[in-house]
Structures are given as structure tokens and as C-alpha cells.
Amino acid sequence: MLKGLLLRDSQGSGFDKKEKTLYFLLLFFFASLYMPGITWLYNVAMWLFFVYSFFFNSMLQKWELLKQRKEILLMMAFLLLNAISALVSYNRHEGLSFLGIRISLFVIPFAIGSIYVNAQLKERVVAGFATVTACAAVGCLAWGMYRAGANHDWSLMYNDNLSDIINFQSIYFAMLVNLAVFSFVYLLSKKSTLVNENLLVPVLIILLVVNFLLASRMAIIILYSSAFVFAIIQIIRKKKWLEGITLIMGLLLAGFLLVKFFPKTINRFKELSYTKFDYRSEAKESHFNMVLTPDQWNGANIRIAVWQCAWTVIKQNPIFGTGLGDKMDVLKQEYARKGFAFGVQTNRNVHNNYLDVWMSLGLTGLIIFLAGFIILPAYKCVHTGDWYGLMILISFSVSLFAETYLDRTMGNSLLAFFIAFISSYKKRP
């Protein structure tokens, strides 16, 4: 598949030696994300392209680019704020632990955000990421089918079980699958010679199936909403009625078939109808493979319960926050006050990146985070007509409402890389 989708015009590519080296380092980074049994390899890849970035261009050139890219400076400033907050926390050990998890928020933005990626290199990086992710999706699907058949247990095809072979939580892999779909559509719209159109349709079908099996509500909503909006644009703006209506009908048919053949995913959506909860409940947490009942804890009512506790903590520390190292201690104290034993026992984090940042780093931290990671990059994407970058930003910004990416090394790495990458291929407006 790599040979079929990538590097079809490798001769005469026009890359210089530095660009080729950077490309292969980034390709190694993408591949290392999905390496079975080696959870640390992508960190090695991250430090490799960080070190190499100092050889890619001069410090003066880096500074000139960083002055143009205020969002990159804000991303790095956000990490420095985390460092200060960790050091002044009562629980300094916990704070430094969180700081270590978030170090990629400085390393990756500096490495990628201080170089310029031209249009040709951008196209190859996008194709490289999409192809490697498609290969990982095929591998997960094949392994899942083998395990499910060998164990006579088709639940092994769903959720975290499907992505277990590549050491991924389903929510993160589902995000990457979505970004791979957007990447292939982007390459197709650019009429890129790097894409083999004969393989593209089956690859997109596989990605669609894997997205559904991973059972990430946010990822499914983002992918289908994006496709629906694209169809409406085709109909209204570009007057392509047949293409737009065909796409909508195709989405409806795909949705019907996916629900028909993979019904367990629907349990994740049924949870949204059971949002009531009792803090003192000792009921078990629901799972996609269980019968869903109103009295259980589930993905929806757990989040609502946790968000209410987090909001109480925020109101007590609105400007400066609890401190990075103290955030979970203070949050669990609030759990205890409300009798939320389930939250204490499972050590539940906030499951909302925005509330987490506000709670731990205060309003200052939230403003820096929003400006650096979302608002400024989005403004530049709109200003330059970069719909691909905008789709990446929308995907992350929506997902951050239901997950705390900053509490996972992988989450930080993905967030930092893709947002910094959006900046790396933009010139001065």
C-alpha cells in the first residue's frame, strides 16, 4: 500500500538533502506512533526531528519565522506556564510528572514551527501520514478479525480492543483515522500524483469502517458532519447537485450498513439518553458490550458529574487555578464532598481539556491555550483559505470538549504536532 499510494513521482522530486532527511524523520515519527509493543518509539522520533531542526535552518531564520508565528510562541509559552505552575504547586512531584507528560508541547512546536515547509514537502508529509495511518487501520482490522474469530468473541472488534495491537486508546486512533480521511480528500482535491486513485476508494471504505468500530462518539460525529457539510457545499456553492446528493445518499447507506453489521457501537450513543446520575451511586460503569440500563454510570453521566465538580473548583480558583500539581488532589476533594466515591476510586480526570486548563492554570492559562492552539491558527487558516488546516483544528477543538488530551503523552504529541504543522507551511500573510 505504501508503494501504491506514496512516492509515485519520486524521480525529479526537487527535494534538497535537508528536506529529504526531514521528510523521512517525520515518516519515521508517523510509523513509530503505531509500532506494536514499543510505546516509547515515537518519543525517540520526536527528539530526533527536534535535534535535526537545528541543522535545517539557522537560529536567525528560526527567530524570523517564530516572530511571524505568534501561535507557536504562545504554544511554547503555555508549556512554560505549566512549568511555573508545577514548581509552585504544593504537590510538586505530581506537578513535575504532568510537566514531563506535556514536554512535547514545547519540543514539537519549536521543531516544526521554526522551519518552513514548502508546498511540495507539505503534500508529501500529508500523504505519508495518511498512508501510514491507513496501513495501521488495515492491520488493526485484520488483527481484530483474527482475534475475534479465534476467540469467538466479536466484541474484540470494537473500541479499545480494536486498537490494542498498536498501543492506542480508541479515541486517539479514531482522531487520526479522521485526519487520514481529510488528508486523502485534500490530496485528491489537489490532484496529487502521490495518490493512487484505484486504491483510494477501498482505503476510504476501510477507514470508514475502522472509524465506526472504534466507537468514539466525537470522531464519528466529526467525520459524518464534515462529510454532510461538504455535500451541502457541493450542492449550494458549487451547484454540483448530483455529486452532493450522491454523497448524502452514500452517507445514509453507509450509516445503515454500519449499524446493521456492527451494532455494538450504537450502545455508545444510547448512553447519551441516560444523563441523570446520583453522586452516591455505586453502580458499575457501562460498556459497549453490556446491556445498557438507566442506573449505570456511563460515558455521558460520568462526564456531567465530573464537569460539575470541576466547575465548582474553577469558581473557587478562577484566575490562577489550583496549580498543575494540585489539580487532581483538589478535584478529588470536591468528589469526596459530594459523596462521589466512584470518581475518587477511578481517579477520574476532567474529561474536558478546556475545563482542565482553566481549573489547573486559571483564566490566564485558558486564554493562552485558546489563543495559541485554536484562535490564531484558525484565523490564519481562514485568512489563507486553508480548509485542510481548518478541518484539523475543528477536529481537535471539538474533541477537546470530551477528553483531556493534555493528561496523556500521546494526546500532547498529536495536538502539538498537527497544530504546529499547520503553521509550518504558512508564509507571512
Side-chain angles (χ1 to χ4, degrees):
M1 183 178 290
L2 276 169
K3 186 177 180 180
L5 291 174
L6 277 182
L7 306 177
R8 296 180 69 195
D9 61 344
S10 57
Q11 294 183 346
S13 65
F15 280 3
D16 62 29
K17 186 176 180 179
K18 289 182 179 180
E19 289 172 329
K20 287 180 181 178
T21 303
L22 178 64
Y23 169 70
F24 283 109
L25 283 174
L26 293 179
L27 202 61
F28 172 56
F29 173 69
F30 299 143
S32 67
L33 291 172
Y34 307 117
M35 196 62 63
I38 310 177
T39 58
W40 46 264
L41 190 59
Y42 71 93
N43 284 311
V44 174
M46 175 188 76
W47 285 105
L48 282 176
F49 68 70
F50 171 75
V51 172
Y52 183 71
S53 71
F54 289 94
F55 298 93
F56 191 86
N57 58 357
S58 68
M59 290 303 296
L60 180 60
Q61 290 171 323
K62 289 183 180 297
W63 176 238
E64 289 300 318
L65 285 169
L66 289 174
K67 284 194 297 184
Q68 297 175 31
R69 300 167 177 173
K70 300 294 190 299
E71 66 276 16
I72 298 296
L73 293 175
L74 285 171
M75 290 169 72
M76 294 190 294
F78 179 73
L79 191 278
L80 294 177
L81 179 61
N82 276 263
I84 295 169
S85 182
L87 291 173
V88 300
S89 297
Y90 289 108
N91 192 342
R92 188 175 299 175
H93 180 269
E94 183 83 350
L96 293 175
S97 176
F98 277 121
L99 183 63
I101 290 172
R102 299 181 179 190
I103 193 65
S104 56
L105 297 180
F106 186 96
V107 173
I108 294 179
F110 180 84
I112 303 299
S114 65
I115 64 176
Y116 173 63
V117 174
N118 63 35
Q120 188 181 33
L121 181 55
K122 170 196 173 182
E123 191 173 307
R124 284 185 175 274
V125 171
V126 170
F129 159 71
T131 303
V132 171
T133 301
C135 290
V138 170
C140 286
L141 192 61
W143 176 247
M145 292 174 66
Y146 169 76
R147 279 209 307 169
N151 293 280
H152 305 289
D153 181 3
W154 291 103
S155 71
L156 296 174
M157 290 282 292
Y158 290 85
N159 206 238
D160 290 335
N161 291 331
L162 185 65
S163 55
D164 178 64
I165 184 65
I166 56 172
N167 317 306
F168 255 93
Q169 284 185 273
S170 60
I171 55 166
Y172 297 125
F173 189 43
M175 164 65 79
L176 292 174
V177 167
N178 279 1
L179 297 187
V181 172
F182 299 149
S183 296
F184 280 127
V185 173
Y186 166 77
L187 293 168
L188 190 62
S189 71
K190 301 291 287 186
K191 295 181 170 54
S192 173
T193 58
L194 300 175
V195 175
N196 187 328
E197 295 185 15
N198 294 325
L199 288 176
L200 189 57
V201 171
V203 166
L204 288 176
I205 290 173
I206 289 172
L207 290 174
L208 186 69
V209 170
V210 170
N211 167 277
F212 195 78
L213 289 174
L214 288 168
S216 168
R217 288 183 295 252
M218 280 297 186
I220 292 171
I221 290 169
I222 289 169
L223 184 61
Y224 278 81
S225 298
S226 300
F228 181 77
V229 169
F230 178 77
I232 297 299
I233 291 173
Q234 294 292 99
I235 292 172
I236 297 176
R237 187 175 175 182
K238 297 187 177 181
K239 307 299 182 183
K240 295 183 178 180
W241 292 87
L242 181 60
E243 290 183 14
I245 292 173
T246 301
L247 180 55
I248 291 174
M249 295 302 294
L251 288 173
L252 292 174
L253 177 61
F256 172 78
L257 292 175
L258 288 170
V259 171
K260 180 73 174 177
F261 289 101
F262 309 112
K264 292 184 184 294
T265 295
I266 299 304
N267 255 11
R268 298 279 290 141
F269 286 89
K270 288 180 179 178
E271 291 176 353
L272 298 176
S273 62
Y274 298 121
T275 56
K276 294 182 179 180
F277 63 89
D278 176 5
Y279 275 119
R280 299 185 180 278
S281 171
E282 297 182 1
K284 292 182 178 180
E285 183 177 359
S286 69
H287 188 261
F288 72 87
N289 204 35
M290 294 171 56
V291 176
L292 189 63
T293 61
D295 61 308
Q296 296 167 324
W297 286 109
N298 62 62
N301 61 19
I302 289 173
R303 282 172 170 78
I304 295 172
V306 170
W307 292 346
Q308 289 183 6
C309 293
W311 181 241
T312 300
V313 173
I314 288 170
K315 288 189 292 184
Q316 296 167 355
N317 310 272
I319 306 301
F320 301 108
T322 61
L324 184 63
D326 302 324
K327 65 169 188 169
M328 285 305 300
D329 292 337
V330 177
L331 183 62
K332 286 192 287 187
Q333 288 171 10
E334 184 61 29
Y335 289 167
R337 275 193 288 271
K338 285 186 164 61
F340 187 24
F342 180 84
V344 175
Q345 292 164 6
T346 57
N347 199 38
R348 289 284 165 165
N349 66 22
V350 181
H351 280 285
N352 181 304
N353 221 97
Y354 306 110
L355 290 177
D356 178 83
V357 171
W358 195 352
M359 181 180 73
S360 58
L361 302 175
L363 193 57
T364 303
L366 181 63
I367 291 171
I368 293 174
F369 178 81
L370 290 174
F373 287 83
I374 298 174
I375 297 173
L376 276 179
Y379 169 78
K380 289 189 176 181
C381 286
V382 172
H383 188 72
T384 58
D386 178 18
W387 70 262
Y388 174 70
L390 194 60
M391 286 307 305
I392 291 175
L393 287 168
I394 291 172
S395 297
F396 275 108
S397 60
V398 172
S399 295
L400 294 178
F401 276 105
E403 298 295 337
T404 309
Y405 271 59
L406 300 187
D407 276 1
R408 297 287 184 272
T409 305
M410 179 64 73
N412 286 291
S413 298
L414 298 180
L415 186 65
F417 176 82
F418 283 100
I419 296 180
F421 179 66
I422 291 170
S423 294
S424 71
Y425 57 75
K426 288 184 173 59
K427 293 182 178 179
R428 187 190 297 273

